Amino acid sequence: MKYETLLKEINSLGKVSFIGTTTLGYKIPLVRIGQGQPKALIVASVHAREYITTILLNNLLASYRKKIAIDYVPMLNIDGVLLATNGLSIVKDDCLKDKLLKLNGGSYDFSLWKADINGVDINVNFDADWGKGAQNITYPAPENFIGNAPESQLETKSIVKVLENNYPLVAAYHSKGEVVYWGYGDNYNHYLYAKKYADFVGYELTKSHGSVGGLKDYYALKYQGLGITIEVGEDRFSHPYPLSELDNLIKKHTGSIELLAQMGEEIGHLYGESYTTS
Ligand SMILES: [Zn+2]
């Protein structure tokens, strides 16, 4: 995967702006699709090896009808995805190369990497019971390292700032398992909406257990809307999710963005003017 290709693909989807810069210096894009106040935020590729979520959403959004405005962050963990798909060739700094090689157990195959380029797992780096997760670890690794502090990573900081737009609905895309996780802490609001979405794509709806510090967790703690994590793809396939299965994923999810946008609009109405965006 190439950064320039990503930019080219998303340029045709809507108006692109940038919400921050990664450790390797890539600007993190946000695409605003449609006119007016966005009713939902969609985030893909939080975990490096799960970049099929970016490919899936780029496809789905290319045929989105655009009646309801939505914001889309196609690849939050750009550095990680580039590492997982290109290996160490994307890293210029020799010290960083050595460090990554060590973290990866001496292997040049980074295809199973989940973390960012610092060995921090972005989806346990949010300020939501940070460090209390069952699988959390406290040293850099391909996955599960919480970082030295909540929101220590540039990617985490960037998306936390975007969330200040107070979206009625936030959907974070991961892979895999055909599961939808919703809510966190005291916010299990909007069950019927979460169920409606899960039924639409034919996935199981469940609360997450033992998992904290994620994007959906942070959003659900801090805001009143519906926060969901969507695990796309069947568990019988291994990581990284095979591209040969893309067509099946697209079929399964066709119409689901329209549904999320519609739900975001309706949830926004429940809160009236409290939902304002910059
Ligand atoms: Zn994930």
Side-chain angles (χ1 to χ4, degrees):
M1 196 160 272
K2 288 201 159 56
Y3 179 69
E4 294 72 21
T5 314
L6 173 72
L7 288 187
K8 217 162 141 188
E9 274 180 27
I10 59 171
N11 251 318
S12 57
L13 298 179
K15 191 175 179 298
V16 176
S17 59
F18 296 95
I19 60 169
T21 306
T22 69
T23 300
L24 293 183
Y26 296 99
K27 289 189 288 175
I28 307 168
L30 177 147
V31 195
R32 183 156 292 179
I33 302 166
Q35 300 291 322
Q37 188 175 313
K39 305 297 184 187
L41 173 69
I42 290 167
V43 183
S45 289
V46 179
H47 284 139
R49 70 186 184 189
E50 297 163 21
Y51 52 86
I52 188 92
T53 55
T54 300
I55 302 170
L56 170 65
L57 284 161
N58 284 356
N59 270 279
L60 294 174
L61 288 165
S63 53
Y64 177 66
R65 291 194 308 272
K66 298 175 187 176
K67 278 188 184 142
I68 300 167
I70 53 179
D71 279 353
Y72 170 46
V73 174
M75 190 179 286
L76 183 61
N77 184 6
I78 297 168
D79 296 353
V81 171
L82 293 178
L83 177 67
T85 53
N86 301 287
L88 286 178
S89 64
I90 59 136
V91 182
K92 297 203 169 60
D93 182 88
D94 283 339
C95 274
L96 182 56
K97 265 187 189 169
D98 288 347
K99 179 190 160 181
L100 289 165
L101 203 51
K102 214 172 274 174
L103 295 184
N104 205 36
S107 169
Y108 286 89
D109 179 0
F110 285 84
S111 61
L112 296 182
W113 192 267
K114 283 176 77 176
D116 69 8
I117 205 77
N118 301 305
V120 177
D121 188 325
I122 294 170
N123 214 40
V124 291
N125 187 237
F126 288 85
D127 194 5
D129 296 318
W130 179 80
K132 292 183 185 161
Q135 307 201 36
N136 287 172
I137 60 173
T138 52
Y139 48 87
E143 58 184 309
N144 298 331
F145 173 40
I146 57 176
N148 292 325
E151 293 162 29
S152 58
Q153 301 307 290
L154 296 166
E155 294 84 355
T156 320
K157 281 193 188 90
S158 302
I159 205 77
V160 161
K161 189 94 182 98
V162 170
L163 289 176
E164 288 175 10
N165 282 331
N166 208 2
Y167 300 93
L169 187 149
V170 172
Y173 280 72
H174 290 254
S175 177
K176 57 193 176 35
E178 301 200 310
V179 176
V180 177
Y181 297 101
W182 105 106
Y184 187 79
D186 292 329
N187 177 359
Y188 284 96
N189 302 339
H190 316 299
Y191 166 78
L192 289 176
Y193 282 114
K195 182 81 174 101
K196 192 174 180 179
Y197 174 82
D199 286 348
F200 185 87
V201 292
Y203 287 8
E204 182 199 347
L205 177 68
T206 181
K207 298 178 179 180
S208 34
H209 298 286
S211 168
V212 304
L215 169 53
K216 176 264 294 165
D217 309 332
Y218 174 83
Y219 169 76
L221 270 187
K222 199 130 192 225
Y223 301 92
Q224 294 173 292
L226 173 62
I228 52 176
T229 297
I230 304 162
E231 298 278 0
V232 307
E234 298 173 55
D235 252 343
R236 67 190 171 101
F237 297 106
S238 43
H239 289 294
Y241 205 76
L243 288 173
S244 56
E245 282 298 309
L246 182 64
D247 283 350
N248 286 331
L249 279 184
I250 292 172
K251 262 182 222 145
K252 197 143 207 170
H253 288 263
T254 295
S256 65
I257 304 294
E258 285 79 1
L259 178 62
L260 288 177
Q262 180 63 40
M263 289 179 355
E265 184 168 71
E266 288 176 20
I267 293 167
H269 284 153
L270 296 176
Y271 296 109
E273 294 302 304
S274 68
Y275 278 99
T276 50
T277 61
S278 59

